[in-house]
Amino acid sequence: MNTNNKGFLGRLRALGWGFAAMLFIAGILFWGAFNTAMEWTNREAFCISCHEMKDNVYQEYRTTVHASNRSGVRATCPDCHVPKEWVPKIIRKIQASNEVLHKILGTIDTPEKFNAKRLELAKHEWERMKKTDSRECRNCHNFDSFDYAEQGRRSSKMHQTGLNEGKTCIDCHKGIAHQLPEVEQAIGAPKEGATPEEFHPPTPKPEEAKPEADKAKG
Amino acid sequence: MNKPTFNSARLRATALAMTLSMALAQTFLAPATAVAATEAPVKLQSLRGADIQASDPEGDGTRYGRDQPPLPRDFVQQPPLIPHTIKGYNITKNFNKCLDCHAWARAKETGATKISVTHFKTREGEELSSVSPRRYFCNQCHVPQSDAKPLVGNTFKPGTGMR
């Protein structure tokens, strides 16, 4: 009956350390779970759990060099679409909750609807990659390590001139993993699609040519 | 590199022509040879050894070569051979990858040969201001090179002005 003789404050103080410790452990667990959840949603299997992703872009990607090549090193959806760094990753994940909304709305749930919206979605990705100087490509491809003697005639020439002019991978490598939306190439009737300027953005002037990633890399 | 190059499209066309004429011969000569045919049915096969109704065997182990300078042409009006890889180059309703380099507007930047003006002409002879629909599917006429062995020998010599 005398368990209460320490008084309320005393008990709280005794609890204090335990409580702090518990919070700490809970924090670690939460953090772990949070990151685990992040990792779990960062798998190809997760991306193609939605048929919008599986029936369209995934089918096209499957025959490309990033899905199957002689070395067996694959680039999966998140490798190109989700940043590796923590802060940009969180931001991209928050933006991606928009995809869940559109999933519910059924915005692109048939191939026809998908193709009708493809130009807009592709433009978002082009813009994002342009802004980050194609950071996700560079996570795997380091152009400092390009062996120009080993590369093809056309690659080696275009890389040396293009990258010096301040171009970035996505300027030249659109449609690397999926079919492209309509692109205006001045053939037949005018198209609603990407204009030549959007598809091949003009080269920036020399002074603004240095991409940010190069400055950051030092 | 001194690898022999040859026109696989030409070979393929020859192969097709031969199988076709064999098939035609079969049809027209059928009454005359009906008796013989029941005894020993003629087995038709493509030059690659497959049944004529089957598609060509895939994965025959041949490889497409690395990019190289433009290849010599063998006859006047030959569609030039493609001297580079075309893996993953799609030609769709939305986008023509070849024209992304070979169109006049793109050729300067990419260093590719401009498509010639003959590609702007419709089959009625009308000159368009851009690629004619009949020239949209480049691979109909232009073919890349692989190290496949010729299926039949031939003694073709380039035209005198082309040697």
Side-chain angles (χ1 to χ4, degrees):
Chain A
M1 296 295 149
N2 55 356
T3 42
N4 261 355
N5 60 1
K6 261 184 166 173
F8 182 69
L9 271 178
R11 269 199 302 159
L12 203 65
R13 198 168 302 138
L15 249 178
W17 290 110
F19 190 65
M22 262 167 61
L23 253 186
F24 184 66
I25 292 168
I28 291 178
L29 287 180
F30 175 74
W31 182 251
F34 182 68
N35 270 337
T36 309
M38 288 256 293
E39 282 324 307
W40 190 78
T41 58
N42 234 7
R43 292 173 313 133
E44 182 174 282
F46 170 74
C47 305
I48 60 176
S49 66
C50 279
H51 72 91
E52 284 89 343
M53 301 287 109
K54 186 175 182 186
D55 296 350
N56 303 300
V57 274
Y58 173 65
Q59 297 308 333
E60 297 158 5
Y61 150 84
R62 286 205 313 165
T63 55
T64 67
V65 69
H66 286 103
S68 146
N69 57 57
R70 59 185 179 153
S71 1
V73 183
R74 291 181 70 213
T76 61
C77 331
D79 288 329
C80 287
H81 289 296
V82 185
K84 286 256 182 300
E85 296 77 7
W86 207 82
V87 174
K89 178 153 83 178
I90 295 287
I91 294 173
R92 183 66 187 93
K93 287 280 171 185
I94 293 168
Q95 286 171 346
S97 38
N98 165 52
E99 292 178 23
V100 179
L101 172 69
H102 282 284
K103 163 82 182 172
I104 296 165
L105 292 177
T107 316
I108 53 166
D109 62 359
T110 65
E112 291 75 26
K113 286 191 196 169
F114 181 84
N115 284 327
K117 203 169 180 193
R118 166 166 253 166
L119 175 66
E120 185 187 330
L121 302 180
K123 274 194 201 163
H124 290 162
E125 282 306 294
W126 292 340
E127 234 164 74
R128 192 179 61 76
M129 291 185 185
K130 178 82 182 163
K131 231 187 271 159
T132 62
D133 189 17
S134 315
R135 178 180 48 210
E136 278 64 56
C137 314
R138 291 173 189 256
N139 282 343
C140 292
H141 297 273
N142 183 342
F143 74 89
D144 286 335
S145 314
F146 274 171
D147 178 349
Y148 290 125
E150 202 38 54
Q151 284 194 352
R153 276 165 66 91
R154 293 173 306 148
S155 332
S156 118
K157 189 170 143 262
M158 289 295 272
H159 286 154
Q160 292 179 75
T161 50
L163 294 169
N164 276 339
E165 282 171 3
K167 287 215 170 82
T168 187
C169 319
I170 199 63
D171 287 338
C172 298
H173 287 292
K174 294 188 175 69
I176 184 79
H178 318 289
Q179 298 282 316
L180 285 162
E182 276 195 343
V183 176
E184 178 56 62
Q185 291 182 299
I187 306 164
K191 287 186 193 156
E192 302 286 291
T195 63
E197 292 74 35
E198 281 164 342
F199 200 71
H200 290 289
T203 319
K205 302 267 168 314
E207 54 274 18
E208 52 191 83
K210 264 275 140 230
E212 272 169 49
D214 279 358
K215 278 188 225 145
K217 218 169 38 176
Chain B
M1 262 206 317
N2 216 4
K3 248 193 248 154
T5 52
F6 32 80
N7 183 337
S8 67
R10 195 159 65 217
L11 288 177
R12 199 171 289 206
T14 325
L16 191 69
M18 286 187 59
T19 25
L20 273 180
S21 48
M22 272 153 78
L24 276 177
Q26 258 269 309
T27 324
F28 292 123
L29 299 181
T33 53
V35 184
T38 42
E39 281 160 8
V42 182
K43 184 148 181 340
L44 293 184
Q45 51 170 236
S46 75
L47 286 175
R48 289 184 176 79
D51 190 82
I52 53 158
Q53 289 183 349
S55 43
D56 280 344
E58 292 228 12
D60 50 359
T62 58
R63 283 169 157 275
Y64 289 94
R66 287 171 58 84
D67 290 5
Q68 49 182 317
L71 295 154
R73 299 185 198 182
D74 287 336
F75 58 94
V76 191
Q77 297 299 335
Q78 176 195 348
L81 302 168
I82 307 177
H84 54 70
T85 62
I86 57 165
K87 212 175 86 210
Y89 289 180
N90 289 320
I91 299 176
T92 67
K93 185 160 81 44
N94 287 347
F95 180 69
N96 185 322
K97 176 76 180 177
C98 310
L99 287 173
D100 198 36
C101 291
H102 287 280
W104 283 42
R106 301 281 311 142
K108 186 151 173 282
E109 187 179 328
T110 61
T113 326
K114 288 202 286 273
I115 53 170
S116 53
V117 284
T118 57
H119 292 54
F120 291 26
K121 206 182 238 169
T122 66
R123 83 180 156 188
E124 286 81 29
E126 187 194 348
E127 301 278 2
L128 303 182
S129 57
S130 185
V131 181
S132 159
R134 66 173 182 163
R135 292 287 169 104
Y136 190 73
F137 298 102
C138 318
N139 303 78
Q140 260 179 300
C141 305
H142 298 281
V143 289
Q145 298 302 290
S146 82
D147 60 359
K149 297 280 161 297
L151 294 171
V152 287
N154 78 74
T155 54
F156 181 83
K157 289 219 174 53
T160 42
M162 321 278 300
R163 289 183 197 154

